[in-house]
Amino acid sequence: MQEIQIKLKLILNKFNAGKQLEALKEIEPLVDVNNNNIELLFTYGVMASKINQYYKAIKCFQKILSIKPEHQQALHTLYVNLLKIKNFDNSLVIINKLLKLNPKHYEALRDKAYIFYLNKDYLNAEKFILHALKIKSSEVFGLNILGLTYLAKNQIKDAINTFKNAILVNKNYFDSYNNLGKCYINNENLDLAFLYFKKAYNINPKSELPIINIGNVLSLKDKYKAAINFYKKAQELNPSNDLIYTNIAITYCKLKNFYQANKYYNKANKASPENHDLDLSFAYLLLYNKKFSEAWKFFEGRIGLNEFSIK
């Protein structure tokens, strides 16, 4: 056991020194030989998760739970990794197991609320995030979940107050400014929205989200070419975000450049092939611009006629 501890310490030192892949390769044989050692399994899982090898991490935490089902740290890190691969259903199952052991586990309550928010179950999202915030009233991510839930329910005043409260808690958390900007877009106060998106960008220039929203403000102001420039800047930061391509497609539609609109719609579809909302939103844009034959291919249940040609 002492020999394992010494090896594990050396591996962790290497991992923390930036040699992560090398350290991971060194720990794997140890795990294979000592596959019932919970400390070793947990360390391996955390290391794998930190370098985005989520499936390896998930297997480690599942193994721990097969040995010790009530291991709260393993339950927590398991559902966090399931969230990272967007496996919301199984995340919720694990969260409920954790809450059964510890009903006041703040992160579990908060993240349960977040899953409900992502699934558009805003009533349950509000219920669980308010419950969580009774435990930690000044946790900035929890406040942002509450604000987003209010925004989704069109309770704009409550959303604005919540995001402002989050900013008072942590002035360097860029999401609070970005989300506050969304509220002002909803209120059609585009200048104030632009100001908060710019603040979010200044705090975190490596995130594409404020840049997308700056583009959205410019598009709403009919400054379409400037909006496209911002969307393309966001694309450089995160080429896998389908929302960027969708917004570029929408903006090219507004410019009546349907060749480029179709090109970027296809890129959005490639980035997120399971997002069927993309089809419908693009189809409606084509209909709006009287591109009936192009739009019609997105609608199901055709009767074999082009009804839009009927006068």
Side-chain angles (χ1 to χ4, degrees):
M1 184 64 73
Q2 190 175 2
E3 186 182 347
I4 292 173
Q5 292 288 343
I6 293 167
K7 286 183 179 179
L8 191 56
K9 187 176 180 180
L10 291 170
I11 290 168
L12 280 171
N13 287 340
K14 185 174 286 188
F15 187 87
N16 293 329
K19 298 178 180 179
Q20 288 125 335
L21 288 174
E22 190 178 332
L24 204 67
K25 285 180 181 178
E26 286 187 20
I27 199 173
E28 283 171 352
L30 277 178
V31 172
D32 290 339
V33 174
N34 304 276
N35 62 0
N36 286 319
N37 186 316
I38 288 177
E39 183 185 357
L40 190 59
L41 285 164
F42 191 83
T43 303
Y44 178 41
V46 170
M47 287 168 62
S49 180
K50 283 184 176 179
I51 58 172
N52 303 331
Q53 294 192 16
Y54 302 126
Y55 291 96
K56 280 186 179 180
I58 286 165
K59 284 184 179 180
C60 283
F61 302 129
Q62 286 173 334
K63 175 65 177 175
I64 292 169
L65 292 168
S66 72
I67 301 166
K68 190 176 180 181
E70 72 280 8
H71 195 294
Q72 291 190 30
Q73 279 185 298
L75 285 165
H76 180 232
T77 45
L78 173 57
Y79 89 68
V80 166
N81 279 274
L82 287 167
L83 278 175
K84 286 176 179 176
I85 62 169
K86 298 184 178 180
N87 189 335
F88 301 132
D89 289 342
N90 283 327
S91 295
L92 202 53
V93 170
I94 303 301
I95 286 172
N96 287 334
K97 287 182 180 180
L98 180 52
L99 287 172
K100 193 173 181 180
L101 293 168
N102 182 0
K104 293 187 177 181
H105 194 291
Y106 171 76
E107 287 81 7
L109 287 166
R110 180 199 65 195
D111 295 338
K112 184 171 184 174
Y114 187 52
I115 291 170
F116 281 127
Y117 167 77
L118 292 173
N119 287 331
K120 300 181 180 179
D121 183 349
Y122 303 126
L123 288 176
N124 272 317
E126 184 178 358
K127 173 185 171 182
F128 282 98
I129 196 58
L130 286 172
H131 187 16
L133 288 168
K134 285 179 182 177
I135 299 167
K136 283 188 182 180
S137 61
S138 297
E139 201 269 331
V140 70
F141 181 40
L143 288 169
N144 271 268
I145 294 169
L146 179 60
L148 288 169
T149 303
Y150 284 144
L151 183 57
K153 293 175 69 182
N154 208 32
Q155 295 174 223
I156 308 302
K157 187 177 179 181
D158 290 330
I160 288 172
N161 289 336
T162 304
F163 293 129
K164 285 184 175 180
N165 188 19
I167 290 168
L168 289 174
V169 170
N170 185 346
K171 293 181 180 179
N172 295 316
Y173 193 76
F174 87 97
D175 280 321
S176 302
Y177 297 93
N178 192 55
N179 290 330
L180 185 54
K182 292 177 187 178
C183 295
Y184 287 116
I185 278 191
N186 196 287
N187 273 352
E188 298 183 0
N189 190 335
L190 298 182
D191 291 336
L192 206 49
F194 184 88
L195 175 68
Y196 280 107
F197 293 141
K198 190 176 178 182
K199 284 184 177 180
Y201 171 75
N202 288 337
I203 293 168
N204 187 4
K206 292 184 179 179
S207 171
E208 80 275 15
L209 300 179
I211 301 171
I212 293 171
N213 285 321
I214 289 170
N216 292 343
V217 171
L218 291 168
S219 181
L220 288 167
K221 288 186 170 188
D222 299 334
K223 298 179 180 180
Y224 302 128
K225 290 182 180 178
I228 288 170
N229 288 336
F230 274 91
Y231 293 142
K232 288 184 176 179
K233 185 176 180 180
Q235 178 193 338
E236 290 173 6
L237 290 171
N238 186 0
S240 64
N241 188 329
D242 62 277
L243 181 62
I244 298 167
Y245 301 112
T246 305
N247 287 358
I248 294 175
I250 289 168
T251 310
Y252 273 124
C253 259
K254 290 177 179 177
L255 288 168
K256 300 190 185 301
N257 186 337
F258 297 106
Y259 173 80
Q260 288 292 341
N262 191 60
K263 174 183 170 183
Y264 278 95
Y265 160 75
N266 288 328
K267 286 186 176 184
N269 199 39
K270 187 176 179 181
S272 185
E274 295 179 2
N275 187 353
H276 299 298
D277 289 340
L278 291 175
D279 292 344
L280 197 58
S281 61
F282 189 64
Y284 281 129
L285 279 165
L286 291 169
L287 287 174
Y288 176 78
N289 287 284
K290 298 182 180 180
K291 291 284 179 176
F292 301 130
S293 59
E294 290 94 331
W296 197 240
K297 66 183 178 181
F298 295 106
F299 290 92
E300 296 179 356
R302 289 187 61 184
I303 60 174
L305 298 170
N306 186 345
E307 287 84 345
F308 292 106
S309 68
I310 298 172
K311 297 181 181 179

